[in-house]
Amino acid sequence: MQHFITNDDLSLEITTAVIQRAHAMAQSPADFQNLARHQQLATLFFEPSTRTRLSFTSAMHSLGGTVLGFESSSSTSTAKGESLIDTIRVVSQYVDIIALRHPQAGAAQLAAKYASVPVINAGDGAHLHPTQTLADLTTIDHYKHRLNHLTIAFAGDLKYGRTVHSLVQALMRYGQNRFIFVSHPTLKIPVTLRAQLVAKNIAFEEVTNFAAINVPLDALYMTRVQAERFATPAAYDEVKDAIQLTPAQRNLLTPETLLLHPLPRGHELPTTFDTWPQAHYFDQVKAGRFVRMALIETLLAQNH
Amino acid sequence: MQHFITNDDLSLEITTAVIQRAHAMAQSPADFQNLARHQQLATLFFEPSTRTRLSFTSAMHSLGGTVLGFESSSSTSTAKGESLIDTIRVVSQYVDIIALRHPQAGAAQLAAKYASVPVINAGDGAHLHPTQTLADLTTIDHYKHRLNHLTIAFAGDLKYGRTVHSLVQALMRYGQNRFIFVSHPTLKIPVTLRAQLVAKNIAFEEVTNFAAINVPLDALYMTRVQAERFATPAAYDEVKDAIQLTPAQRNLLTPETLLLHPLPRGHELPTTFDTWPQAHYFDQVKAGRFVRMALIETLLAQNH
Amino acid sequence: MQHFITNDDLSLEITTAVIQRAHAMAQSPADFQNLARHQQLATLFFEPSTRTRLSFTSAMHSLGGTVLGFESSSSTSTAKGESLIDTIRVVSQYVDIIALRHPQAGAAQLAAKYASVPVINAGDGAHLHPTQTLADLTTIDHYKHRLNHLTIAFAGDLKYGRTVHSLVQALMRYGQNRFIFVSHPTLKIPVTLRAQLVAKNIAFEEVTNFAAINVPLDALYMTRVQAERFATPAAYDEVKDAIQLTPAQRNLLTPETLLLHPLPRGHELPTTFDTWPQAHYFDQVKAGRFVRMALIETLLAQNH
């Protein structure tokens, strides 16, 4: 049974096929609207994530399928002490595919072990959020027509931001990408990620402000500093506004620079940039819907 | 892009067409069951309103479409600080039409400004609830075959009751309607509404009890006094039972008098009236489903 | 109007037909996937029960129908004081059939009295849960090809466990079944149930541990002791682990013995038994989906 727990669960070849399929679906959605007819998706969200849940739901509806599930653990049988494993086994009897969101790292992996239908990881704690990465790759590929030979800056919370870690790892699979990491000194990329970059001999640099960037960017990927990751409000306050995009950084954004953000955003990305022609964060949202459609189609195809 | 934020957003001509279409849908629902096939409605309810949410959902299902959304703000990304504007922009990527319920007056207007799909106001605080008004108009038109030349009494909380304000304003657009307002002296209609009635030279009177009504009524529209509108429990207790329909008022209800209520009800409308032949409050519920179908159809038609 | 509030609401003949229909649906689901097309089910869950709610939802989707509703009373209009009766009358205007879960015994009976569409009892407090019983009967019939001449042991909380009471009563309608009740002395079957068994001259015995069972079992039906039924934590702690299935009881389980449990489970049924060939508790879940499909079909058929 093929699941989608990490981005590595799909080979580079299949990942590329899924992204191309997403482009075709966005181009002509009516051609795909009966692909999952009479099939059911469960959205099991043990922690709330409205945007991700609605994206999966919209994707399944767009394929002609139906959706059931729950949106937070407060109203689930886990209150009666049902284990995740039993929940997964039970729901496997109801549906054809499961999208699981869970606050604990590793939960999706565990679920996949016991499910009798494909499981998609819709985020497991601070660990992984691989369909966000697919949305990011699809957006970049749509506008750049390639996923290699790119210079991409990542800015904001690079320590805890799982979307950054996932996207960097995914882009490492393609050739000749170069990364610039922009963050407060206490929010730099984790040691393990740095070690991977070094081991694979991938070009990267780490800076603490936008002014230190002196190469043209193919993309600037902004992220929010999340208060809930910090031990104290003071620790959060110290770093939260260290990296902000302001009109002063307009020079950084050439007509070739995609401005990206996984949303939701904070002060780091003011709405004044929304009218910038290369602002594509709402296109990432759109890409997320279509690439989830393509992913669901790919995983469901195993059953036929 | 045509939205439906206030009743004035639809011309009198289109409002009439929507009401007639609702009658046709109620008459023969099977003729309309594929009208919105492969289209999606988002029900974004930032405050709970089960009856309204289920009415929209049933309406969209009855047109063959699908529905996604949330039922209260507690489980949404707004907990992560996402703004209403960003939520609307995100959800615009997922669906073809949005029904928005929000505790703040003006929220629907703001949402419409940023949405790339039609927005329906499903209630914004104490401000407006225009689809309830459509349901009321459809019910009256169904039984009276006209929306003019009517004598209608409104009773209960006329100060805070937005359904009363909306329906009165909607009926002011039709000719020769006459209003009688029955309320405790502290719950009379707002000054602004009174000024509109005077400016348009519309016949109305304000009384403090049912006994003061001495003309035959085409309809009696009852409303509940809502505890949550009052600063103190004592202020609520003082007025909550001022206007109640009791068997003593049976004379008020002729065979021609529609007994209406937007529900939910309190003590003001005892269940003993439910068997009264002219009790039509559950017909208002039914009309609400069909007129929401007609409204969704009308707004979706723009996209084709 | 035919409702399904207790198992006695369906004659033995119709119950048998529903079970046989569920077998056919499980065998060939594609033959039934348009049976309820353009029909709507409301899942009105005034208390959370994710498993039951998702089972009904999956069942309706599998028949081609749509579903709307709520998953707990916290986000319903009951917060505004709407009565159960008015809620049922309102929702009757939206859907073709209702599944109601409510914390109060008798709520489903009351709802059925006022609904204008069929009502299914999806559990009313500690009182009844008749569709769980249908799932249990379907599972037993699937593997034993009969619902009579069975020797079945029930173990765990036999005092408060409504699934036990319902299943015993349902099996009493078939001939020559024999029951063995295994529980802590304080958790024995209620006096009323014992009186029914005696009155109908049905063979049963009551024991306090598995070692006292000295006949081959057709089925062992385990249940969880629920903490919420006890006045104090101490009262719960005293009995909660009195009956547990351990490897020592493997002798009890012959190749002919179905091991059943309504789930969720506690310590009484360790996961080590999950690989036992006769462990069928996840098959009960599957049967629950298909027998709910058959039940919905049966009740909807009245409208045509």
Side-chain angles (χ1 to χ4, degrees):
Chain A
M1 178 69 62
Q2 172 77 62
H3 303 284
F4 185 69
I5 308 307
T6 81
N7 287 99
D8 290 337
D9 284 345
L10 296 186
S11 68
L12 209 55
E13 193 182 349
I14 292 179
T15 301
T16 301
V18 165
I19 291 169
Q20 294 308 317
R21 189 75 165 164
H23 293 333
M25 286 170 160
Q27 192 70 33
S28 183
D31 294 345
F32 303 89
Q33 65 196 10
N34 288 310
L35 264 181
R37 203 152 131 65
H38 301 303
Q39 306 225 44
Q40 301 195 47
L41 164 71
T43 51
L44 308 184
F45 276 54
F46 286 88
E47 66 174 6
S49 176
T50 303
R51 208 156 34 79
T52 302
R53 184 173 60 80
L54 297 188
S55 180
F56 273 105
T57 303
S58 172
M60 190 61 174
H61 286 168
S62 300
L63 293 168
T66 57
V67 182
L68 52 81
F70 48 84
E71 48 193 284
S72 75
S73 62
S74 64
S75 61
T76 70
S77 295
T78 52
K80 290 189 193 163
E82 189 166 61
S83 73
L84 173 62
I85 294 170
D86 277 7
T87 298
I88 291 295
R89 281 174 164 164
V90 164
V91 175
S92 288
Q93 303 295 340
Y94 298 154
V95 299
D96 303 287
I97 187 165
I98 291 171
L100 175 73
R101 176 86 168 206
H102 202 282
Q104 285 165 13
Q109 190 68 55
L110 182 69
K113 193 173 161 191
Y114 289 95
S116 56
V117 298
V119 173
I120 299 174
N121 184 359
D124 58 343
H127 187 220
L128 293 168
H129 190 12
T131 59
Q132 175 67 48
T133 301
L134 283 184
D136 298 340
L137 293 174
T138 303
T139 307
I140 296 169
D141 188 67
H142 178 75
Y143 289 102
K144 292 291 178 185
H145 308 292
R146 68 180 195 276
L147 290 169
N148 53 22
H149 292 275
L150 296 165
T151 301
I152 302 188
F154 292 88
D157 176 2
L158 309 184
K159 182 176 179 186
Y160 302 107
R162 63 183 172 185
T163 59
V164 170
H165 308 160
S166 284
L167 182 54
V168 169
Q169 287 168 329
L171 286 167
M172 283 166 62
R173 298 167 79 189
Y174 298 85
Q176 303 296 321
N177 288 320
R178 174 183 179 180
F179 306 113
I180 301 168
F181 299 111
V182 189
S183 73
H184 186 275
T186 62
L187 292 177
K188 291 165 76 172
I189 57 169
V191 172
T192 51
L193 183 58
R194 193 178 299 115
Q196 290 170 37
L197 291 161
V198 170
K200 299 204 172 178
N201 205 23
I202 290 167
F204 73 97
E205 42 189 308
E206 299 182 79
V207 300
T208 58
N209 57 65
F210 287 122
I213 300 178
N214 51 19
V215 293
L217 297 176
D218 291 303
L220 169 58
Y221 193 100
M222 299 290 299
T223 64
R224 180 173 63 104
V225 178
Q226 296 180 249
E228 58 267 37
R229 306 290 183 211
F230 294 84
T232 64
Y236 169 63
D237 285 342
E238 192 187 322
V239 300
K240 74 183 163 89
D241 294 327
I243 304 295
Q244 288 193 47
L245 203 61
T246 65
Q249 277 95 39
R250 287 241 173 205
N251 289 340
L252 208 62
L253 302 168
T254 77
E256 304 306 315
T257 309
L258 308 179
L259 179 56
L260 303 175
H261 194 297
L263 302 178
R265 60 176 149 183
H267 300 297
E268 73 283 352
L269 179 56
T271 56
T272 51
F273 285 90
D274 294 3
T275 52
W276 180 257
Q278 293 291 75
H280 289 300
Y281 22 99
F282 293 111
D283 294 318
Q284 286 168 273
V285 174
K286 182 183 174 186
R289 169 184 172 188
F290 288 103
V291 82
R292 286 181 179 100
M293 286 172 65
L295 178 65
I296 291 169
E297 181 197 19
T298 301
L299 296 179
L300 283 176
Q302 303 175 75
N303 299 326
H304 296 296
Chain B
M1 177 69 62
Q2 172 78 61
H3 303 284
F4 185 68
I5 308 307
T6 81
N7 288 99
D8 290 337
D9 284 345
L10 296 187
S11 69
L12 208 55
E13 192 181 351
I14 293 180
T15 302
T16 300
V18 166
I19 290 170
Q20 294 308 317
R21 189 76 166 164
H23 293 333
M25 288 170 160
Q27 192 71 32
S28 182
D31 293 346
F32 303 89
Q33 65 196 8
N34 287 309
L35 264 182
R37 203 152 132 63
H38 301 303
Q39 305 225 46
Q40 302 195 47
L41 164 71
T43 51
L44 307 185
F45 276 54
F46 286 87
E47 67 174 6
S49 177
T50 303
R51 207 156 35 80
T52 303
R53 184 173 60 80
L54 297 188
S55 180
F56 273 105
T57 304
S58 172
M60 190 61 173
H61 286 168
S62 300
L63 293 168
T66 57
V67 183
L68 52 81
F70 48 83
E71 48 193 284
S72 75
S73 62
S74 64
S75 61
T76 68
S77 295
T78 52
K80 291 188 192 165
E82 188 166 62
S83 72
L84 173 62
I85 294 170
D86 277 7
T87 297
I88 290 295
R89 280 175 164 163
V90 163
V91 174
S92 288
Q93 302 295 339
Y94 298 154
V95 299
D96 303 287
I97 186 166
I98 292 171
L100 174 74
R101 175 87 167 206
H102 201 282
Q104 286 166 12
Q109 190 67 56
L110 183 68
K113 193 173 160 192
Y114 290 95
S116 56
V117 298
V119 173
I120 299 173
N121 184 359
D124 57 343
H127 187 219
L128 293 167
H129 190 11
T131 59
Q132 175 67 49
T133 300
L134 282 185
D136 297 340
L137 293 174
T138 303
T139 307
I140 296 170
D141 187 67
H142 178 74
Y143 289 103
K144 293 292 179 185
H145 308 293
R146 70 181 194 276
L147 290 168
N148 53 23
H149 292 276
L150 295 165
T151 300
I152 303 188
F154 292 87
D157 176 2
L158 308 185
K159 183 176 179 186
Y160 302 108
R162 64 184 172 185
T163 59
V164 170
H165 309 160
S166 283
L167 182 54
V168 168
Q169 287 168 328
L171 287 168
M172 283 167 62
R173 298 168 81 189
Y174 298 85
Q176 302 297 322
N177 288 319
R178 175 185 177 175
F179 307 113
I180 302 169
F181 299 111
V182 189
S183 74
H184 186 275
T186 62
L187 292 177
K188 290 164 78 173
I189 57 168
V191 171
T192 50
L193 183 59
R194 193 178 300 115
Q196 289 171 37
L197 290 161
V198 169
K200 298 203 172 179
N201 205 22
I202 290 168
F204 74 96
E205 42 189 308
E206 299 184 77
V207 300
T208 59
N209 56 65
F210 286 122
I213 300 178
N214 51 19
V215 292
L217 298 177
D218 291 303
L220 170 58
Y221 193 100
M222 299 288 300
T223 65
R224 180 173 64 105
V225 178
Q226 296 179 249
E228 58 267 39
R229 305 288 184 212
F230 293 84
T232 65
Y236 169 63
D237 285 343
E238 192 187 320
V239 300
K240 73 182 162 88
D241 294 328
I243 304 294
Q244 288 193 47
L245 203 61
T246 65
Q249 277 94 39
R250 287 242 174 205
N251 288 341
L252 208 61
L253 302 168
T254 76
E256 304 306 315
T257 309
L258 308 178
L259 179 56
L260 304 175
H261 194 296
L263 302 179
R265 60 176 149 183
H267 300 296
E268 74 282 355
L269 179 56
T271 57
T272 51
F273 284 89
D274 293 4
T275 51
W276 179 258
Q278 293 289 76
H280 289 301
Y281 21 100
F282 294 111
D283 294 317
Q284 285 168 274
V285 173
K286 182 183 174 187
R289 170 184 173 188
F290 288 104
V291 82
R292 286 182 179 99
M293 288 171 64
L295 178 65
I296 291 169
E297 181 198 19
T298 301
L299 296 179
L300 284 177
Q302 302 175 75
N303 299 327
H304 297 297
Chain C
M1 176 71 63
Q2 172 78 61
H3 303 284
F4 185 68
I5 308 306
T6 81
N7 288 100
D8 290 336
D9 284 344
L10 296 187
S11 68
L12 208 55
E13 193 181 351
I14 293 180
T15 302
T16 301
V18 166
I19 292 169
Q20 295 307 318
R21 190 73 166 166
H23 293 333
M25 287 171 160
Q27 192 70 31
S28 182
D31 294 346
F32 303 89
Q33 64 196 9
N34 288 310
L35 265 181
R37 201 152 133 65
H38 300 303
Q39 305 225 45
Q40 302 196 48
L41 164 71
T43 51
L44 308 185
F45 277 54
F46 286 87
E47 66 174 6
S49 177
T50 303
R51 208 158 33 80
T52 302
R53 185 174 60 82
L54 297 188
S55 180
F56 273 105
T57 304
S58 172
M60 190 61 173
H61 286 168
S62 300
L63 293 168
T66 57
V67 183
L68 53 81
F70 49 83
E71 48 192 285
S72 75
S73 62
S74 65
S75 62
T76 69
S77 295
T78 53
K80 290 189 194 163
E82 189 167 62
S83 73
L84 173 62
I85 294 171
D86 276 7
T87 298
I88 291 295
R89 280 174 165 163
V90 164
V91 175
S92 289
Q93 302 295 340
Y94 298 154
V95 299
D96 302 287
I97 187 166
I98 292 170
L100 175 73
R101 175 86 167 206
H102 202 281
Q104 286 167 13
Q109 190 67 56
L110 182 68
K113 192 172 160 193
Y114 289 95
S116 55
V117 299
V119 173
I120 299 173
N121 185 359
D124 57 343
H127 186 221
L128 292 167
H129 191 12
T131 59
Q132 176 67 48
T133 300
L134 283 184
D136 297 341
L137 293 173
T138 304
T139 307
I140 296 169
D141 187 67
H142 178 75
Y143 290 103
K144 293 292 178 187
H145 307 292
R146 68 181 196 278
L147 289 168
N148 53 20
H149 293 275
L150 296 165
T151 300
I152 303 189
F154 292 87
D157 176 1
L158 308 184
K159 183 175 179 187
Y160 302 107
R162 64 183 172 186
T163 59
V164 169
H165 308 161
S166 283
L167 182 53
V168 168
Q169 287 168 328
L171 286 167
M172 282 168 62
R173 297 168 81 189
Y174 298 86
Q176 302 295 322
N177 288 320
R178 175 185 177 177
F179 307 113
I180 302 170
F181 300 110
V182 190
S183 74
H184 186 276
T186 62
L187 292 177
K188 291 165 76 170
I189 57 168
V191 171
T192 50
L193 182 59
R194 193 178 299 113
Q196 290 170 37
L197 290 161
V198 170
K200 298 204 172 179
N201 204 21
I202 291 167
F204 73 96
E205 43 189 308
E206 299 183 79
V207 300
T208 59
N209 57 64
F210 287 122
I213 300 178
N214 52 18
V215 291
L217 298 176
D218 291 303
L220 170 59
Y221 193 100
M222 299 289 300
T223 64
R224 178 173 65 103
V225 178
Q226 294 181 249
E228 59 267 39
R229 305 289 183 212
F230 294 85
T232 64
Y236 169 62
D237 286 341
E238 192 187 320
V239 300
K240 73 183 162 89
D241 294 327
I243 304 295
Q244 287 193 48
L245 203 60
T246 65
Q249 278 92 40
R250 286 243 174 206
N251 289 341
L252 209 61
L253 302 167
T254 76
E256 305 306 316
T257 309
L258 308 178
L259 180 56
L260 304 175
H261 193 296
L263 302 179
R265 60 175 149 184
H267 301 296
E268 73 282 354
L269 179 55
T271 56
T272 52
F273 284 90
D274 293 2
T275 52
W276 179 258
Q278 294 289 75
H280 289 300
Y281 22 99
F282 294 111
D283 294 319
Q284 287 168 272
V285 174
K286 182 184 174 186
R289 170 184 171 188
F290 287 104
V291 83
R292 286 181 180 100
M293 286 170 65
L295 178 65
I296 290 169
E297 182 198 18
T298 301
L299 296 180
L300 283 177
Q302 303 174 76
N303 299 326
H304 298 297

